[in-house]
Amino acid sequence: MIAAMALPPPDPEFVLRGTAAPVHTLHFSCRGQEPEFPILFSGSANGLVQIWNLKTHRVDKTMDGHGGKSVYWVETIHGRDGLLSQGRDQKICLWDLAEGRNVVTDSISVDSVGFCRCSLLKVAQDRWLIAMPANDPDEVQVLELPSKTSVCTLKPEAGAKLGMPMCLKLWQPGFGACPFLMAGYEDGSVILWNLSMGKMLSRLACHQEPVMSLDFDSEKAKGVSGSSEKVLSVWSLDEQQNLKVHKTHELINSGISDVTIRQDRKILATAGWDYHIRIFGWKKVKPLAVLDYHTATVHCVAFSDHSRPSERLLAAGSNDQRISIWSLYNQT
Amino acid sequence: MNKALGTGMKNTQWFLPSTPSFPCSWDRSCQCNSSSCLKVPIFCLVKIVDILEQFLREGGLSALMWEVCQQQAQAASPELQETLLNKVVCLPDHLSNKLQGENLPIFLPQNYFPLLGTEIIQVLQRISDSLRGGLDCSISFVSQVLGKVCVHGRRKEILSTLVPCLTDLTKSDCIWQRMCWRLVECVPDRWMEAVVCGFVQTAPGADVLSRLLGNLVVKNKKAQFVVTQKLLLLQYSCPTAMLQNLLGYLALDNSRRFLLLKVLQELMETWASSSAVKHSPVEQQLYISKAILICLSHLKDVEIDSHRQELFTCMMEGMKCHLDSNLPRIRCLGMIVAESISSRINTDGPILKFQYEEDDETRELKSLLTQMLSPPSVISPLDEGRKDSPSAVTEAELKPGRKPLAAACAVSEEGSDSELDSDDDFIPYDMSADKELKKTKAPLYIRDCIEVLTGPEDMDKWEATMRVLETLIQRNTAATQEVSVELAKVLLHLEEKTYIDDFVELRQKALVTVTITDPIPVAQYLTSQFYSMNYSLRQRMDILDVLALAAQELSRPKAPGKNKPSSIQTPCIQILPGSDSSKDWRKIVDERIKSKTRRFAKGQSQVELVCAPNKFSSVAGHFFFPLIQNFDRPLVTFDLLGDDHFVLGRLAHTLAILLYFAVNTVVAAAMGKALLEFVWALRFHTDSYVRQGLLSCISSTLLSVPSDRLLEDVTEELVETQAWLADVAEKDPDGDCRRLALQNLLLMENLKKKLETAPS
């Protein structure tokens, strides 16, 4: 009945072409005041990080710092004056972008050869924590930036058989509070780590296959994870710091490479191996839209941080070398 | 006559001293009615009418009847009774004849007969009083009045007052019951039918009917004939409720149950007779099926046990001839009845189960079987209203009671997220495109397609090929023409190796597109295959469908350079004048065609906006003549004129379609002539579906062949056809056939008019 009345899914607002390689990661920076324009960072398989001007839809800058090895995580630091990028050359580069510069000022070497993306959390003015895979294949290391001192190394007990960490999410219940880490592992479980004690608080085996991506909403104490299976798993954290499955949503096709909750915690987007981007309402995980544009696996989805809700955008990067930009559910 | 009247008058005066006004009026009314030569002055007439009205208002009729009843107990003159009977029953007719426009309302039949009904109750009341007093009384005059009124077609009026009263009075009084039985029993045989039908129709339930009629059907041969034969087997107009009354009545008393079994036996014989299935109208078959199901619902297990073998034999026979029918509705009826019988006779073994589409009719039929005998409670029409309302109220009370509870549950479940229900603000987009992802690549060349379709089994690739085939053919006309026949052959023999949603449609579309791309060789191939050995009926019918659809595509004007058949166009001809009876396959094909089909309502098709040459004109012959050639040559596996009449029907329809699309072409005249001969050869076919096809053939002949050619070439055939059409329009048992024949006659009439007006 509803399907009969429903509107056809929208087309992309616009499409960014010219990465010349599969797009693996995207990050918006749109909070800048006028005359600064909204920009989008993209990292692609050819090792380039590109800065897209979202007014002109052109590439402003192309930065090569990973020796042609795929870039799979980028995130800004210091507003938009700094950028962290993680590449398959086992390096995390810190870029200085202030005043039109684009040089690598620092780099951290990562010993892991996995696919695990880092996670960054601002804990104080000019102080960040970064979680990244460590030397040992099943360990996660947390560093403080910019000092690069190790805060802790999270090592599962012997015999836990978690496999490698696949995705990380640093969070804290409130600004200044003790930070936590959500980590998804190769065996399909999601683990909550306490960073100050370096201790595993809860473990939830919510997938049969490796967890490809997760996101956590600290306000509702609810998170979502996707794996190479056909399910999207939504779990919650209770007061005793125990994770439990809240709901699972069956998908038509298997494989989710990325999942992101929008900053206002109303909708969430998933990037699918079936070339589709899916939008869900976050509260009940009600399917809202299936966006069909890409012709190859979608690797990443990102919501923009526009301060005006009506301008908010969704970007998706795909193996077909295109970045599609969508405008959805922006009415407040 | 006059003499008899005279004595009548005298006698009337003599035996009715209590109503002083009556003799005069009766006398006059008799006079003024029976002897029109006698001119009555107008004031006199008014006076008489006044008196007569007063007589009726004061209950004169009951007094009169009571008097006659009393007399009958002694001996009375039959002539007088006859006259009185006549006058009482025909009073409204006499008066309206006499008074014309100035008739009084009380003499109108719709008022008079209900009044007569209450008067009869009065008389019966008196009779019952006198019986209780030990006096003997005859009821036969009242019965005669009742019978005559009923036979005069006023049974609804009189019984609508009589039956409810009798229902109430007989509820607990055995004297009233006996009187009521007697009342019906005494009705003379020639009027019995009308009375019994009236009672069956008016009684609110089987139990009431049983109380009112008693064991009438056992005692009276005529009533038995009416109930067991006439109402069930010789006509089919009764509503279901009446059938339930009737059969319930038979089932209610042990002394009548043998009749129920007899009736069931006869119904089953009719149901299982292939000639009845073929020749009787669908409505009658529905009626008989209903009656069988109701009978089954009344049968007890013991009775079924003793008749199991008979029922089983009949079921097998009937099922066979029903499933043989071309009309889906009849097949469906057969399936339901057979299912029901098997569920009753096989208490422990496996039962029959068919697949058919559920609709209102099937549901109604099934409900008949499950309906048990209504509990023996008295439901007078008055009570019924009362009975309904409380149940409605309780339901209304119950429903909202449940809902808040459910809502509360939902709230408590979601209550933890006590925010505004923001999710629901987002309206989902259409997600129907979200299908399973297919990884295999479809072939890019026609030859590859043939290879995939004939080659080793790779299901994914095979499916992808099926989906892409139509567009490939359209895109690559030249390449297709090189392999067109081969491709058609592959497609025609293609079987569904793996399940695809719309395999049949995909295959058909591909075949149609091949035929359009290279019409002559493919049409030659297909038509030759239609008459060759070793094809299933399904394949043969596929050939017909493809030819019809291809003819349609070819005949449709297209914008130059645009080769792709546009499926958005919705111009309109209905080639197969819509009939409800053969929905099944036709529905499927029709719906498929509908979006692309033009329909003709009456006469000419609508003017198209785009003008282009009719591509069908040059190839129409290749489609048509090979098909019509061989219909009378039976093969070992395929006998059009015998068992495979379903295909013959389809063939007739297809030929009609082909000729329709050949309108305005040179070859149309020759096609029309051939088609009329074809129709003539088959005109007495027993299957109504075939006859429908033939009638469509005539329609397209009349519409497609130019009228002067019709007159020049086939005058004689036309005259013959007209005679046949008139015959069909009048006598054919199938409603659709009659309608089509009438339409054709209309077309002929138009043709004639056109010729007359045209300057010769």
Side-chain angles (χ1 to χ4, degrees):
Chain A
M1 178 90 173
I2 288 170
M5 299 185 301
L7 287 169
D11 290 328
E13 281 291 292
F14 50 89
V15 177
L16 304 176
R17 292 161 216 258
T19 57
V23 182
H24 280 291
T25 181
L26 292 168
H27 183 75
F28 279 100
S29 173
C30 307
R31 278 206 185 273
Q33 302 296 311
E34 295 283 344
E36 284 188 337
F37 40 81
I39 54 176
L40 173 69
F41 297 94
S42 72
S44 35
N46 54 5
L48 299 184
V49 175
Q50 285 172 312
I51 303 177
W52 300 83
N53 180 336
L54 294 181
K55 278 234 163 69
T56 60
H57 307 169
R58 301 274 167 82
V59 178
D60 267 5
K61 261 179 230 166
T62 302
M63 307 180 303
D64 186 0
H66 289 279
K69 298 284 177 63
S70 169
V71 176
Y72 57 100
W73 179 70
V74 286
E75 189 146 337
T76 50
I77 193 166
H78 296 299
R80 61 166 67 168
D81 289 344
L83 181 77
L84 286 167
S85 69
Q86 180 190 12
R88 298 281 291 145
D89 59 348
Q90 304 183 9
K91 258 193 339 193
I92 297 172
C93 294
L94 174 64
W95 299 81
D96 179 11
L97 303 178
E99 295 159 357
R101 288 186 295 267
N102 55 338
V103 285
V104 179
T105 53
D106 200 354
S107 73
I108 310 165
S109 75
V110 185
D111 290 325
S112 159
V113 287
F115 298 88
C116 182
R117 291 171 180 161
C118 297
S119 176
L120 187 73
L121 178 72
K122 188 174 183 177
V123 283
Q125 191 62 37
D126 291 331
R127 211 168 71 86
W128 293 268
L129 290 181
I130 183 167
M132 56 192 200
N135 301 359
D136 261 11
D138 56 354
E139 277 179 17
V140 178
Q141 192 179 18
V142 181
L143 300 183
E144 196 188 69
L145 288 182
S147 63
K148 296 205 278 179
T149 49
S150 172
V151 174
C152 59
T153 305
L154 305 171
K155 189 176 168 58
E157 310 148 27
K161 287 195 179 150
L162 292 171
M164 284 193 287
M166 300 297 290
C167 46
L168 305 169
K169 170 81 182 175
L170 278 172
W171 61 279
Q172 54 191 155
F175 198 74
C178 167
F180 293 89
L181 175 74
M182 286 287 178
Y185 285 87
E186 207 179 345
D187 76 333
S189 48
V190 171
I191 290 180
L192 174 68
W193 293 95
N194 182 326
L195 293 191
S196 51
M197 294 185 282
K199 209 177 95 184
M200 185 196 291
L201 291 177
S202 175
R203 174 179 173 180
L204 174 73
C206 51
H207 294 282
Q208 308 291 324
E209 300 284 328
V211 183
M212 299 304 292
S213 176
L214 63 81
D215 202 354
F216 185 72
D217 169 5
S218 55
E219 225 169 73
K220 287 184 186 147
K222 228 168 69 175
V224 56
S225 58
S227 73
S228 51
E229 304 161 291
K230 278 189 179 180
V231 284
L232 191 66
S233 180
V234 178
W235 25 268
S236 58
L237 185 65
D238 64 13
E239 271 106 49
Q240 287 79 44
Q241 311 278 15
N242 281 321
L243 288 169
K244 56 184 181 194
V245 174
H246 179 75
K247 189 181 172 178
T248 54
H249 181 82
E250 193 83 13
L251 300 166
I252 306 272
N253 289 304
S254 57
I256 289 181
S257 44
D258 197 9
V259 47
T260 307
I261 303 169
R262 194 164 72 181
Q263 288 83 341
D264 66 354
R265 299 179 180 86
K266 293 236 168 111
I267 59 173
L268 91 105
T270 66
W273 294 3
D274 62 350
Y275 319 165
H276 290 157
I277 305 154
R278 284 159 209 276
I279 309 291
F280 296 87
W282 174 227
K283 190 168 177 200
K284 290 178 193 158
V285 197
K286 168 172 127 186
L288 292 176
V290 176
L291 306 177
D292 181 16
Y293 169 76
H294 290 287
T295 53
T297 302
V298 185
H299 288 303
C300 52
V301 280
F303 283 106
S304 75
D305 53 347
H306 277 101
S307 39
R308 243 174 285 162
S310 60
E311 290 172 348
R312 282 178 302 200
L313 297 172
L314 164 69
S318 156
N319 214 35
D320 64 5
Q321 312 189 353
R322 282 178 281 193
I323 302 166
S324 56
I325 309 285
W326 310 75
S327 170
L328 288 160
Y329 297 111
N330 279 338
Q331 303 78 21
T332 42
Chain B
M1 177 69 192
N2 264 338
K3 196 178 169 193
L5 261 180
T7 51
M9 278 183 274
K10 234 183 269 164
N11 280 334
T12 323
Q13 270 168 338
W14 167 73
F15 68 70
L16 281 173
S18 54
T19 46
S21 59
F22 179 75
C24 169
S25 68
W26 193 253
D27 186 358
R28 291 291 170 165
S29 75
C30 289
Q31 272 181 15
C32 61
N33 294 318
S34 56
S35 46
S36 50
C37 53
L38 233 153
K39 292 279 176 221
V40 183
I42 190 77
F43 73 91
C44 198
L45 188 66
V46 172
K47 178 86 182 151
I48 289 165
V49 169
D50 277 350
I51 293 169
L52 209 46
E53 189 192 355
Q54 201 191 341
F55 171 70
L56 289 184
R57 284 197 196 289
E58 285 171 5
L61 278 173
S62 64
L64 171 70
M65 284 187 282
W66 168 237
E67 204 69 38
V68 180
C69 286
Q70 274 183 319
Q71 261 206 333
Q72 261 177 343
Q74 295 116 37
S77 135
E79 285 162 348
L80 168 71
Q81 269 188 36
E82 185 67 36
T83 319
L84 280 176
L85 180 64
N86 229 343
K87 295 301 160 200
V88 169
V89 174
C90 301
L91 186 69
D93 298 343
H94 289 313
L95 279 164
S96 58
N97 277 343
K98 199 71 202 170
L99 298 174
Q100 308 279 339
E102 279 128 46
N103 206 348
L104 294 179
I106 195 167
F107 301 125
L108 294 178
Q110 61 267 40
N111 300 326
Y112 177 78
F113 289 106
L115 175 75
L116 186 58
T118 50
E119 299 290 295
I120 286 178
I121 294 290
Q122 293 293 318
V123 179
L124 292 177
Q125 186 70 55
R126 286 199 198 183
I127 293 176
S128 90
D129 289 345
S130 92
L131 284 177
R132 277 171 228 268
L135 282 172
D136 209 8
C137 244
S138 163
I139 207 167
S140 73
F141 183 71
V142 184
S143 299
Q144 285 176 23
V145 170
L146 181 62
K148 196 161 169 109
V149 170
C150 286
V151 93
H152 275 217
R154 295 297 173 186
R155 66 178 183 218
K156 217 174 92 199
E157 284 91 344
I158 193 159
L159 289 178
S160 64
T161 53
L162 206 53
V163 168
C165 288
L166 286 176
T167 309
D168 270 350
L169 288 166
T170 52
K171 207 178 288 181
S172 52
D173 192 332
C174 66
I175 291 194
W176 267 100
Q177 275 188 22
R178 293 271 307 282
M179 265 171 41
C180 189
W181 298 349
R182 194 78 194 133
L183 175 73
V184 192
E185 277 164 27
C186 288
V187 173
D189 271 357
R190 60 183 186 283
W191 298 328
M192 187 55 97
E193 181 187 341
V195 176
V196 170
C197 290
F199 270 95
V200 173
Q201 206 172 8
T202 331
D207 50 328
V208 175
L209 191 64
S210 167
R211 220 162 58 212
L212 296 181
L213 295 185
N215 270 338
L216 178 74
V217 278
V218 186
K219 292 178 200 157
N220 187 307
K221 283 276 165 241
K222 176 80 181 181
Q224 193 182 95
F225 172 75
V226 169
V227 167
T228 60
Q229 302 280 319
K230 194 151 188 180
L231 285 179
L232 292 174
L233 297 166
L234 302 181
Q235 54 106 23
Y236 53 96
S237 59
C238 304
T240 314
M242 199 166 150
L243 267 180
Q244 278 170 320
N245 270 357
L246 187 74
L247 295 166
Y249 162 71
L250 291 182
L252 265 179
D253 194 290
N254 279 333
S255 54
R256 298 190 292 256
R257 279 194 85 90
F258 77 96
L259 283 175
L260 183 72
L261 286 167
K262 196 176 133 220
V263 161
L264 177 60
Q265 205 172 353
E266 278 165 5
L267 285 169
M268 288 294 293
E269 269 165 27
T270 317
W271 182 75
S273 133
S274 69
S275 132
V277 171
K278 247 183 226 161
H279 298 287
S280 57
V282 192
E283 291 78 14
Q284 181 163 22
Q285 300 192 35
L286 174 66
Y287 185 79
I288 286 180
S289 305
K290 278 182 187 169
I292 291 177
L293 293 178
I294 298 172
C295 279
L296 284 175
S297 78
H298 287 302
L299 280 194
K300 289 175 187 157
D301 289 342
V302 191
E303 289 161 329
I304 287 181
D305 275 339
S306 57
H307 289 80
R308 179 161 293 147
Q309 197 50 46
E310 279 171 80
L311 280 169
F312 183 75
T313 323
C314 274
M315 178 186 85
M316 295 310 280
E317 246 172 78
M319 200 165 63
K320 180 181 171 302
C321 50
H322 275 84
L323 291 180
D324 265 353
S325 168
N326 286 348
L327 301 178
R329 198 164 161 208
I330 289 184
R331 286 202 295 272
C332 191
L333 275 181
M335 291 190 250
I336 294 171
V337 174
E339 263 183 15
S340 310
I341 297 172
S342 107
S343 76
R344 282 310 305 268
I345 60 175
N346 293 354
T347 40
D348 34 44
I351 57 169
L352 280 175
K353 189 83 195 123
F354 291 101
Q355 281 189 331
Y356 45 83
E357 261 176 55
E358 289 255 321
D359 56 11
D360 288 347
E361 191 172 290
T362 59
R363 273 189 288 273
E364 191 202 341
L365 283 168
K366 281 182 173 175
S367 73
L368 289 180
L369 187 71
T370 50
Q371 253 163 22
M372 294 316 288
L373 276 173
S374 54
S377 64
V378 187
I379 309 164
S380 77
L382 277 175
D383 285 346
E384 237 172 308
R386 258 178 261 144
K387 218 184 136 193
D388 272 358
S389 50
S391 71
V393 167
T394 50
E395 210 157 294
E397 280 169 353
L398 277 176
K399 267 188 191 161
R402 254 178 245 147
K403 259 192 191 157
L405 199 70
C409 284
V411 165
S412 66
E413 198 181 308
E414 297 293 320
S416 50
D417 297 69
S418 56
E419 233 178 89
L420 283 173
D421 204 9
S422 52
D423 253 23
D424 292 348
D425 297 346
F426 297 131
I427 302 148
Y429 288 100
D430 180 17
M431 279 175 282
S432 54
D434 192 14
K435 300 230 173 81
E436 233 173 288
L437 188 68
K438 298 278 162 14
K439 287 269 159 97
T440 41
K441 277 191 181 159
L444 294 170
Y445 300 100
I446 298 282
R447 283 175 196 275
D448 291 347
C449 290
I450 297 180
E451 226 161 78
V452 172
L453 293 180
T454 53
E457 312 199 346
D458 176 355
M459 291 315 162
D460 290 337
K461 197 154 191 184
W462 188 81
E463 187 178 343
T465 309
M466 282 309 288
R467 296 205 182 278
V468 84
L469 194 52
E470 192 194 356
T471 36
L472 266 188
I473 298 170
Q474 283 164 355
R475 211 180 291 154
N476 245 323
T477 327
T480 309
Q481 275 165 353
E482 288 169 22
V483 290
S484 59
V485 174
E486 196 187 336
L487 184 58
K489 193 175 182 176
V490 169
L491 284 170
L492 185 62
H493 289 90
L494 198 62
E495 270 168 22
E496 192 167 3
K497 283 185 191 167
T498 172
Y499 175 76
I500 309 182
D501 287 341
D502 38 6
F503 169 77
V504 178
E505 198 179 338
L506 287 172
R507 191 183 89 155
Q508 189 182 47
K509 270 189 188 160
L511 261 173
V512 170
T513 327
V514 178
T515 318
I516 298 167
T517 324
D518 200 9
I520 297 180
V522 178
Q524 273 168 351
Y525 170 73
L526 288 178
T527 48
S528 70
Q529 296 311 298
F530 180 74
Y531 284 111
S532 44
M533 311 256 281
N534 299 333
Y535 280 98
S536 68
L537 295 187
R538 181 70 255 167
Q539 280 169 315
R540 293 184 208 271
M541 288 194 287
D542 285 343
I543 293 177
L544 293 176
D545 285 349
V546 167
L547 289 173
L549 286 170
Q552 184 183 30
E553 287 293 341
L554 284 169
S555 71
R556 174 184 300 150
K558 275 179 220 126
K562 198 179 157 200
N563 207 13
K564 199 181 166 224
S566 52
S567 50
I568 317 145
Q569 266 184 334
T570 49
C572 42
I573 300 181
Q574 191 174 1
I575 317 148
L576 318 166
S579 80
D580 308 343
S581 52
S582 47
K583 276 178 213 148
D584 176 28
W585 70 270
R586 192 183 282 183
K587 201 168 159 194
I588 301 164
V589 175
D590 265 8
E591 275 174 0
R592 214 172 292 154
I593 306 175
K594 199 170 253 173
S595 57
K596 310 179 188 173
T597 313
R598 295 177 284 173
R599 57 176 70 216
F600 57 82
K602 289 261 167 7
Q604 283 111 1
S605 57
Q606 286 181 351
V607 182
E608 301 271 332
L609 290 174
V610 197
C611 290
N614 183 347
K615 282 192 189 160
F616 186 55
S617 71
S618 52
V619 295
H622 294 285
F623 280 66
F624 184 85
F625 290 110
L627 269 190
I628 205 171
Q629 249 168 16
N630 297 322
F631 72 94
D632 49 354
R633 275 171 230 165
L635 293 171
V636 186
T637 52
F638 182 48
D639 183 9
L640 267 182
L641 296 186
D643 286 341
D644 299 326
H645 46 72
F646 186 46
V647 184
L648 182 64
R650 291 287 286 270
L651 175 66
H653 278 105
T654 309
L655 290 171
I657 293 170
L658 291 178
L659 177 54
Y660 183 78
F661 285 121
V663 66
N664 299 329
T665 61
V666 185
V667 76
M671 285 164 77
K673 194 169 159 70
L675 203 52
L676 281 182
E677 274 161 24
F678 171 76
V679 171
W680 190 246
L682 292 171
R683 68 195 186 284
F684 293 127
H685 202 278
T686 49
D687 190 86
S688 57
Y689 180 64
V690 174
R691 287 198 304 275
Q692 284 171 16
L694 298 179
L695 291 162
S696 316
C697 287
I698 296 179
S699 297
S700 17
T701 312
L702 292 172
L703 288 169
S704 286
V705 182
S707 46
D708 46 338
R709 295 305 302 275
L710 271 181
L711 279 199
E712 263 173 49
D713 299 351
V714 289
T715 335
E716 270 177 45
E717 282 95 330
L718 272 188
V719 175
E720 281 173 341
T721 310
Q722 194 176 15
W724 174 63
L725 285 176
D727 200 47
V728 171
E730 204 173 319
K731 290 178 192 155
D732 199 287
D734 186 77
D736 289 319
C737 283
R738 289 197 298 271
R739 203 166 43 76
L740 284 174
L742 215 60
Q743 243 167 20
N744 276 331
L745 285 173
L746 215 66
L747 282 176
M748 284 195 165
E749 205 58 39
N750 288 345
L751 192 71
K752 220 192 275 173
K753 267 186 212 150
K754 210 162 84 186
L755 288 173
E756 277 166 5
T757 52
S760 49

